[in-house]
Each structure stands twice: as structure tokens, then as C-alpha cells.
Amino acid sequence: MSIKLTTGDRIAETSSKGNQEKWREKGRWYKLDLFGYEGMAETVISTLLGQTNVEALGFRYVPYRMERLEVHRRVRNGCSSPDFLQPSESILTLADLFRKGVGPDWQATVARQPNFAGKVRWMVEQTVRLTGLQRFGAYLTLLFEADMLFGNEDRHLNNIAVLRRGDGFDYCPLFDFGAGLLSNIRDYPLDIDPKAHVRLLRARPLDTTFTRQVHAAQSLYGPQLAWHFTPADLANALAEALTFYAQRDAAYIAERAAVCVEMQQKKMKQ
């Protein structure tokens, strides 16, 4: 059964890959698949994040579920998540935080940092200065590690955020992993060996390899992420989500997701 969305409150989510349609209705956010199986990636990754130490570290993540959505008179796949914002809260992206708190030339300042670790340190120090969130270095490292683990290459500074709560701030739950698991079949076609695709992935916001980005953050704030899921757990998480997609593609998608996670796990253990 599909959910029919009739709201006129369309939001084009900012992404380096394109504009993904997103709605809020009855306390949930709904997002449509754009270039492949983003809804599956969000759903599976949020399930697997439940088998990591994210919450033990004192942080949160956004849970997603698959949806069949009737939008613009078409039935399409997507996902939904609860609206985690309380009435007094709003999201402030790092891009907006730096623009308002540092100035319009903040990107030039970042570019002048001598290396990747310097860029990470600058982002963390400015965020701590502007928000008072003393553990932001650990939070950002955790986010970079999760992106690496799942091959999420779309972590630009419009989907790294803090929560504004009155005059104070808090850590935003980890969200927006829709570009993970090779979900973009426009850039990474189904008929090519997934190992070749994984080797091409680039990490944002530093625009380098995942290994270099994560090592830069870990050199400053130490390793954060630990995972406890197995290949069988990944297969179980994939099973229900794959029923939303064409049967002819299911085996390819499952292999891509498994190869992506396996290769990234090996890199993180090095």
C-alpha cells in the first residue's frame, strides 16, 4: 500500500548530487529516491547504526523506514523518518554557522589550512567557539567514520549540523546517509563490478579519500566508531528493503551493499 502525499510543502534538499524531494507530514519526513535506492540505503544504514556504539558515546542517529509513496500521480519508492525536532529546536548547518559566525569568506580560510588535519581542526574549533559543544571533535570524527563505513560520499557542510535550542546548542542526530551503499546508480551503474565503484568513492567535505579524511580526524580526536553487526545482520537488514525494488535488480543491489561495507570495513581496520 502506498502513502499518498498531498502536502504542498515541497522542500528541495540541498545536495551535491541533485535536489531530492522531501516532505514533512504528520510528524514524519518523507524523501523520494532520486538516482537509485537512496531509501534503502537510509533504512539499512540506520538499522546497522543500531548495532554500533553511537548511543554509548552519547550521540543519536535518525531511524528510517522504507515507504511506497504516491506523489505527483506516480507511485515511487522512498523512506521516512520521525521529525526529531522539539518545538523549541531548529537545525543549523555548519555552512550557515560558519557564514554567520565567521564571515562570508570562511571557505577561503578553510582552504588556507596547511593539511587535512588543519581543516578538520579549524571546523571543530570554530564550531566549539560558536556553540560551546565541547565534544564536537568526537562527534565529527564519528560522523566521518560512519560515512566511510557505509561509503556515504555526500557529507557536504549542509548536512553536517547542530541543533539550536533557544540560546543554546546540542548535537544533531546522525542523519542523511542516502548516498551510501553505492545507491546512486546513475554515477555507479549496476552492470559494473561494485569493487571498481568502491575504489572511486570520494569523501566529503574534504574531497579526498575516506581513509585520509578519517585518519585526519582520528589523529586529532581519536577513533570513535565501533560496530557489532555481521554480514548476516546486513543481509537481514537488506531483505525487507529489497522487496520495494524490482526483483531483477535485488541480487545486484544486495551484492553492491555487501561489497561496499566489506571493503570499507577492511580499510577502517588498517
Side-chain angles (χ1 to χ4, degrees), residues 93-136:
T93 70
L94 256 60
D96 284 338
L97 180 70
F98 296 157
R99 191 178 302 114
K100 295 173 181 177
V102 179
D105 61 344
W106 67 268
Q107 290 174 305
T109 304
V110 176
R112 288 195 295 269
Q113 302 307 307
N115 50 38
F116 292 131
K119 290 177 170 60
V120 173
R121 182 186 293 109
W122 186 92
M123 288 190 288
V124 169
E125 289 179 349
Q126 293 304 315
T127 303
V128 172
R129 178 179 68 85
L130 294 166
T131 67
L133 297 175
Q134 297 297 320
R135 297 184 63 217
F136 192 78

Side-chain angles (χ1 to χ4, degrees), residues 20 31-45 64-69 75-80 177-185 190 237-254 256-257:
Q20 186 174 10
K31 293 197 294 185
L32 296 177
D33 284 0
L34 182 62
F35 296 129
Y37 49 89
E38 294 93 336
M40 191 212 78
E42 293 278 25
T43 301
V44 169
I45 290 171
Y64 290 84
R65 73 185 186 202
M66 290 296 303
E67 301 284 4
R68 193 92 67 189
L69 304 170
V75 176
R76 296 172 59 184
N77 290 330
C79 63
S80 72
F177 290 88
L181 306 180
L182 300 176
S183 69
N184 186 338
I185 63 175
L190 289 173
L238 285 166
E240 181 179 358
L242 285 172
T243 63
F244 284 74
Y245 298 90
Q247 186 175 1
R248 68 178 184 276
D249 296 332
Y252 295 104
I253 295 173
R256 287 158 65 91

Side-chain angles (χ1 to χ4, degrees), residues 125-176:
E125 289 179 349
Q126 293 304 315
T127 303
V128 172
R129 178 179 68 85
L130 294 166
T131 67
L133 297 175
Q134 297 297 320
R135 297 184 63 217
F136 192 78
Y139 172 89
L140 189 63
T141 303
L142 175 68
L143 185 58
F144 285 172
E145 290 168 332
D147 285 334
M148 179 173 179
L149 180 61
F150 299 112
N152 178 38
E153 61 173 2
D154 199 30
R155 185 64 63 189
H156 50 83
L157 291 186
N158 279 311
N159 59 26
I160 303 175
V162 295
L163 292 181
R164 193 200 316 248
R165 184 180 296 147
D167 294 329
F169 294 89
D170 200 353
Y171 299 95
C172 193
L174 275 62
F175 70 102
D176 204 344

Side-chain angles (χ1 to χ4, degrees), residues 191-219:
D191 59 350
I192 294 177
D193 184 349
K195 292 181 180 179
H197 288 323
V198 174
R199 295 187 187 105
L200 295 176
L201 292 174
R202 300 281 291 181
R204 291 170 64 88
L206 298 187
D207 191 24
T208 184
T209 66
F210 280 104
T211 300
R212 288 175 179 169
Q213 178 164 288
V214 165
H215 284 177
Q218 289 178 339
S219 71

Side-chain angles (χ1 to χ4, degrees), residues 47-57 149-150 224-234 265 269:
T47 298
L48 296 178
L49 284 173
Q51 298 179 67
T52 69
N53 65 334
V54 169
E55 293 184 336
L57 290 172
L149 180 61
F150 299 112
Q224 302 294 324
L225 180 67
W227 62 89
H228 316 295
F229 58 83
T230 66
D233 294 324
L234 173 58
Q265 283 177 325
K269 292 176 180 178

